[in-house]
Amino acid sequence: SLAAREAKVPKYALKFCHIFPDESCCSPAQDAEIEGHYFTLLDAGDICAKESSLAKDALKEIFCFGCSPEQPNLVADPSDLASAESWMEYDTSGDDEVIMYINICPSLWANVAPAEFDSCGMIQVTERGSECLGDDTVIPSLTWDSQTEFLNDDTGAKPPFFEDGGELDDDNRTVTYRLQEATTEDQLAHRTVTYRLQ
């Protein structure tokens, strides 16, 4: 996981998430995995590969979130949630799961509407990293009804290293990451991540 990983001056430049040249939370191997997931999702032939769009740029920025030196300020270390209590909000309606919300600014959110990718289509991968399980070519707006569905589906555009169920917190609860549009000035100004215990 990249969650709350400390930013460091990279010994080697990142190829895909090169927007963080001075400090990054990713290694070159993690950068390569992010790149692989991005291009697998958008694999629609040579013509579409050459096409540049705001949607592709926004998706790349969201995929590279884990490499951002700001990421540790936005996502707490799942193994040490107690240290993040001062900036966490709790809903204590249950005790077996922690949901970490990652707030996406409205301009990026608007640019990754599934319909923005319809002209070329996408590859929906059954399980990331598994060559055996296969994939399907899909029309994004017919597969995902909204950005919320699209960006929170492990077979869709959920950023690598923030997939569901891969981590446990310090109380052995499953950690789930959810991306959502930042809708309040407070979310934008303080760039906080909201936690809800279910």
Side-chain angles (χ1 to χ4, degrees):
S1 169
L2 295 177
R5 183 175 172 184
E6 183 180 332
K8 296 180 180 175
V9 176
K11 183 174 182 178
Y12 302 102
L14 301 181
K15 177 184 168 201
F16 185 69
C17 298
H18 55 81
I19 56 177
F20 308 113
D22 300 325
E23 281 190 314
S24 174
C25 295
C26 290
S27 68
Q30 290 163 323
D31 179 61
E33 186 169 340
I34 293 167
E35 178 182 33
H37 288 309
Y38 176 85
F39 284 112
T40 297
L41 187 66
L42 298 176
D43 186 11
D46 293 341
I47 299 295
C48 287
K50 293 176 184 174
E51 175 191 300
S52 181
S53 71
L54 289 175
K56 286 172 134 181
D57 292 345
L59 185 61
K60 180 178 179 177
E61 193 167 334
I62 290 170
F63 264 45
C64 288
F65 163 75
C67 296
S68 168
E70 291 296 316
Q71 182 257 122
N73 299 323
L74 304 174
V75 180
D77 181 350
S79 66
D80 189 19
L81 292 181
S83 68
E85 285 184 21
S86 64
W87 53 273
M88 290 170 38
E89 296 175 26
Y90 288 98
D91 172 355
T92 55
S93 58
D95 61 1
D96 61 346
E97 182 180 30
V98 176
I99 297 178
M100 296 191 195
Y101 288 97
I102 300 170
N103 294 309
I104 306 296
C105 70
S107 61
L108 281 180
W109 190 263
N111 285 330
V112 293
E116 296 294 323
F117 300 92
D118 281 356
S119 61
C120 287
M122 285 189 153
I123 302 297
Q124 184 177 23
V125 179
T126 303
E127 186 172 326
R128 291 181 180 180
S130 174
E131 301 282 328
C132 301
L133 294 176
D135 50 38
D136 293 312
T137 303
V138 298
I139 302 299
S141 67
L142 299 177
T143 306
W144 299 282
D145 290 332
S146 65
Q147 289 96 316
T148 301
E149 285 184 16
F150 181 51
L151 292 172
N152 288 297
D153 184 347
D154 286 348
T155 69
K158 192 149 194 189
F161 301 105
F162 292 94
E163 291 97 341
D164 289 344
E167 297 181 75
L168 298 175
D169 75 352
D170 47 350
D171 289 325
N172 218 28
R173 296 173 295 209
T174 302
V175 175
T176 302
Y177 297 96
R178 290 284 176 259
L179 282 76
Q180 66 181 9
E181 179 180 14
T183 57
T184 66
E185 288 298 319
D186 188 53
Q187 287 176 329
L188 290 171
H190 297 101
R191 302 178 61 144
T192 60
V193 174
T194 304
Y195 284 64
R196 185 178 71 200
L197 301 185
Q198 290 193 355

